[in-house]
Amino acid sequence: MARINLLLLLAVIATALYLVHTQYQSRQLYTEFDRAQQEARKLETEHDRLQVEKRAQATPLRVEKLAKEQLQMRTASPAITQYVRPDGSVIPAIAPLPPTTPPKPGAPTARPAR
């Protein structure tokens, strides 16, 4: 009978120690989880701040200003634009105007639309 009592006492002590160890691990994991959540909130706040900063940096006016000042770029116009065909030949930027002939006397003239 004493052996059974001693065996049961050892079993109770072992399960109690296991329970204490499991609770300790559970508390450690919860603390680690809480820290990870705090870090995630910090990173999300930082991400939002960076997105706002990115939108502020990418305004069209600022991009145009930087292109003109730092890259010495200029606005495209037909006078400086060159169009290239697939074969490599260059199309003139401004097509020459067709020659105009003076109207014949007595011919009706075109009236501007109203």
Side-chain angles (χ1 to χ4, degrees):
M1 185 65 124
R3 283 187 178 176
I4 293 179
N5 286 341
L6 185 61
L7 186 61
L8 289 175
L9 178 64
L10 288 175
V12 168
I13 291 174
T15 56
L17 288 175
Y18 179 74
L19 178 65
V20 169
H21 178 70
T22 305
Q23 286 179 342
Y24 177 74
Q25 282 183 335
S26 174
R27 286 187 189 119
Q28 280 185 329
L29 289 174
Y30 180 77
T31 304
E32 203 173 308
F33 176 70
D34 191 44
R35 284 186 191 136
Q37 280 185 327
Q38 288 176 355
E39 182 68 21
R41 281 191 293 271
K42 272 193 229 176
L43 290 173
E44 189 174 330
T45 303
E46 179 73 9
H47 179 262
D48 291 342
R49 184 187 66 77
L50 289 173
Q51 288 295 326
V52 168
E53 187 176 319
K54 177 181 165 185
R55 282 192 296 270
Q57 295 288 325
T59 60
L61 185 62
R62 183 176 184 282
V63 170
E64 185 176 348
K65 179 183 171 193
L66 289 174
K68 284 181 181 178
E69 290 175 1
Q70 293 181 1
L71 303 176
Q72 288 81 35
M73 295 177 84
R74 58 184 176 198
T75 309
S77 68
I80 62 171
T81 304
Q82 290 186 346
Y83 299 96
V84 181
R85 291 187 179 106
D87 65 357
S89 61
V90 176
I91 302 169
I94 299 176
L97 296 174
T100 58
T101 58
K104 295 180 182 177
T109 58
R111 291 187 179 167
R114 291 185 184 186

